[in-house]
Amino acid sequence: MAIYDTFKTRSAQALPKLTAAEIKRVQRFGNLVCYRDGERLYEVGSSSFGMFVVLKGAIRISRYDGLGNTSIITEHGVGEFAGEISQLAGAPSLVNGDAVGDVEVLALTTESLRALLIAEAELGERIARAFILRRVEQLNSHDGGVVLVATPGHARMHALQGWLSSNGLPHRVLDPRSDEQARALVERFQPEANDWPLAVCPDGGVKKNPSVVDLGRCLGTLPELTPDHIWDVIVVGAGPAGLATAVYAASEGLSVLVLETRAYGGQAAASARIENYLGFPTGISGAALAGRAFVQSQKFGVKMAIPAPAGRLLCDTYPVQVEMCGSLTRLQGRTVVLSCGARYRRPSLANLKQFEGKGVYYWASPLEAGLCHSQEVILVGGGNSAGQAAVYLSGHAAKVHILIRKDSLASTMSSYLIERIAATPNIELHVESEIVALEGCDEEGLQQVRVRDNRSGVEKDYDICRVFLFIGADPNTGWLDDCGVQVDDKGFILTGYDIPGAPASGRGGLETSVPGVFAIGDVRARSTKRVAAAVGEGAAVVSQIHGFLANRASAN
């Protein structure tokens, strides 16, 4: 039985069958290719393709991981097509595809698949929806992708799993104490204490104590970027603002590269539910909104590199150059859009870093929520993100303690969230309170939290091992010093008329003090810190980019 059958109401959307008329419309985008019975069309971890539409025979789709496990997922018959989100991104396949009988297919490259999705809107929508649902099933069943091997609670596992989950990448976790294959892998590679965890890539390669860069390389989220290519737009940061710029710019024919440090969606992706975003009356999670925007960007041909932190911006030449962090690689852009957002603030606690990822967290995704089952947790912060996280965690934790330094939430949180928190029985608000100490050990992680009531000065110890910090963020602008982009006294980037002493004539409202470099979203001074505002700026900056490029072309 196909794994998609577990979602019967969606199986028809995940495995649609094209009519003869629809296949005829696809023909102009693909080439006829024939395969013999048993011949492999594409292979896990090494083959990149766009889409195969079956005209004769069938394609057997099978899951496979680097440990050698394989099993049949489904067979695509005549009129059906093979592919999922990896193909839109030009990344290696996460499944194998083999010919059943003599097979004829229409083979589409990644570029021709994108052209099809744009030219044939209704048909393209059905194909994209099928791709998305197939990836969702891979995530739900933990099929394909990376296999992580470590004992439960290992300090590095949370960071790796968090990165994979945030980027919508399927993966599996094996415990060598209970899984025979994991135990055999450990016996083969004999990892030392600093070699854990082990990661098995889809192609079978094994990495010891991998970084997220290592995982990005083996999964195709971090492609090779050549310094000689000149992009029309380099977007630094894939939050809502950056994704909006990428989608609008690419849809208007500009070549776009997006560099993201951690995961698409930025801090907004950590929001459990956004209820005031136009068009979603029942709300939408930040992760779902970001996921849709990511797929949209791939449809229009945006090149996304994750994790790819920018290290320096160099503006003394044109095109502008972005030097990658930890590398001498310099990427060239005719324009650069800074949507690099902010960095999470950290309270002044002596041993905070010791417990990050081992009891202290800066977002509340399903991964963290799963750790809180039937436990009491502490959440610090009084903004909307904190409120959304508290309500979300209350559905998993036994109790959520909210700590704020002010005497109420009224000045920092939307009224609908304040009302919801008040109506949730297992949320307790502690006003004028703060954490003053964290206790625990490297092996067990966080075990106890000391809280001070600033009104009475009384300190109380809580046997709590999960703390969530939502205390705001500082602008991520330190890496811009070599370029001379002007910032305000808090480090936010000045644009347009806000730039002191600079002539505004000919300058876009979102353009920085450096011509051709723009700033949008939370990193921009005087911006409205809302998802909708960020998306609006991301769209608006594209017209200013066109204006800059046109003026430069006419000047030359």
Side-chain angles (χ1 to χ4, degrees), residues 133-170:
L133 291 176
R134 293 173 188 182
R135 172 56 66 86
V136 168
E137 180 52 35
Q138 287 179 319
L139 289 168
N140 290 336
S141 58
H142 306 287
D143 283 318
V146 167
V147 178
L148 298 175
V149 177
T151 55
H154 189 277
R156 287 276 297 137
M157 285 294 282
H158 182 268
L160 296 179
Q161 283 187 270
W163 183 82
L164 290 164
S165 298
S166 296
N167 286 289
L169 298 167

Side-chain angles (χ1 to χ4, degrees), residues 8-247:
K8 292 186 179 297
T9 58
R10 291 187 172 184
S11 61
Q13 294 179 324
L15 294 170
K17 188 171 184 177
L18 305 184
T19 65
E22 289 171 332
I23 292 174
K24 189 172 182 179
R25 286 155 57 190
V26 176
Q27 283 179 343
R28 66 189 179 98
F29 298 94
N31 297 308
L32 181 65
V33 182
C34 298
Y35 295 90
R36 297 186 300 274
D37 181 40
E39 192 173 354
R40 177 150 291 173
L41 283 75
Y42 50 90
E43 188 167 16
V44 169
S46 59
S47 301
S48 297
F49 67 99
M51 184 174 74
F52 290 109
V53 181
V54 182
L55 305 179
K56 176 184 176 182
I59 302 175
R60 178 175 293 134
I61 309 301
S62 58
R63 63 173 64 85
Y64 177 87
D65 63 29
L67 295 174
N69 300 305
T70 185
S71 59
I72 296 173
I73 298 175
T74 192
E75 288 188 3
H76 294 306
V78 174
E80 296 181 343
F81 54 85
E84 56 95 39
I85 292 300
S86 294
Q87 280 61 71
L88 265 182
S93 174
L94 294 180
V95 295
N96 288 329
D98 298 290
V100 180
D102 292 331
V103 172
E104 292 182 4
V105 297
L106 276 176
L108 281 71
T109 64
T110 296
E111 291 72 21
S112 58
L113 170 60
R114 290 169 176 162
L116 168 65
L117 297 186
I118 295 171
E120 299 283 349
E122 185 276 333
L123 183 56
E125 180 183 352
R126 290 172 58 201
I127 293 170
R129 183 181 295 117
F131 282 6
I132 292 169
L133 291 176
R134 293 173 188 182
R135 172 56 66 86
V136 168
E137 180 52 35
Q138 287 179 319
L139 289 168
N140 290 336
S141 58
H142 306 287
D143 283 318
V146 167
V147 178
L148 298 175
V149 177
T151 55
H154 189 277
R156 287 276 297 137
M157 285 294 282
H158 182 268
L160 296 179
Q161 283 187 270
W163 183 82
L164 290 164
S165 298
S166 296
N167 286 289
L169 298 167
H171 61 280
R172 240 181 350 135
V173 177
L174 299 180
D175 182 354
R177 299 177 304 181
S178 58
D179 185 270
E180 289 187 12
Q181 286 189 312
R183 188 160 48 246
L185 189 75
V186 171
E187 291 175 356
R188 177 184 172 190
F189 285 92
Q190 297 291 312
E192 302 290 337
N194 293 329
D195 293 335
W196 293 94
L198 302 179
V200 186
C201 294
D203 63 1
V206 176
K207 298 183 181 297
K208 297 179 178 179
N209 190 16
S211 65
V212 291
V213 170
D214 294 327
L215 297 186
R217 293 290 186 202
C218 78
L219 290 170
T221 67
L222 186 56
E224 292 293 334
L225 300 172
T226 56
D228 57 338
H229 185 89
I230 301 176
W231 301 87
D232 291 326
V233 188
I234 296 178
V235 182
V236 182
L243 287 171
T245 296
V247 168

Side-chain angles (χ1 to χ4, degrees), residues 247-447:
V247 168
Y248 279 92
S251 70
E252 295 179 11
L254 299 176
S255 61
V256 182
L257 169 66
V258 177
L259 306 175
E260 168 55 42
T261 299
R262 185 178 183 273
Y264 57 78
Q267 293 183 38
S271 296
R273 184 175 296 276
I274 303 171
E275 296 191 63
N276 55 3
Y277 191 77
L278 188 67
F280 294 92
T282 59
I284 183 171
S285 73
L289 187 65
R292 295 181 185 192
F294 171 76
V295 173
Q296 204 171 12
S297 73
Q298 299 307 290
K299 167 184 170 180
F300 288 115
V302 172
K303 176 70 77 173
M304 189 83 66
I306 307 173
R312 288 202 301 164
L313 184 63
L314 305 171
C315 309
D316 53 350
T317 61
Y318 187 82
V320 179
Q321 296 183 339
V322 179
E323 185 175 279
M324 302 307 296
C325 189
S327 168
L328 296 179
T329 301
R330 294 182 178 181
L331 307 174
Q332 301 183 76
R334 295 183 176 91
T335 62
V336 172
V337 177
L338 304 173
S339 58
C340 40
R343 298 184 185 276
Y344 294 107
R345 286 188 188 138
R346 289 165 166 80
S348 299
L349 295 170
N351 54 353
L352 177 65
K353 193 169 184 61
Q354 176 186 0
F355 299 118
E356 290 180 335
K358 298 178 66 178
V360 174
Y361 312 98
Y362 296 92
W363 51 82
S365 74
L367 179 63
E368 288 77 32
L371 301 173
C372 301
H373 182 67
S374 300
Q375 298 180 12
E376 292 193 15
V377 304
I378 288 177
L379 186 146
V380 183
N384 278 0
S385 295
Q388 291 160 354
V391 172
Y392 173 65
L393 291 171
S394 69
H396 301 268
K399 189 171 186 177
V400 179
H401 299 271
I402 299 179
L403 307 185
I404 61 172
R405 289 186 174 184
K406 294 188 175 184
D407 58 2
S408 79
L409 294 168
S411 64
T412 57
M413 189 179 292
S414 297
S415 58
Y416 79 91
L417 279 171
I418 296 174
E419 293 170 4
R420 189 167 300 166
I421 286 170
T424 305
N426 64 333
I427 296 180
E428 181 179 350
L429 177 63
H430 303 259
V431 299
E432 298 184 52
S433 300
E434 62 181 312
I435 295 175
V436 293
L438 303 172
E439 301 294 339
C441 61
D442 289 335
E443 294 76 19
E444 301 296 330
L446 181 65
Q447 294 174 300

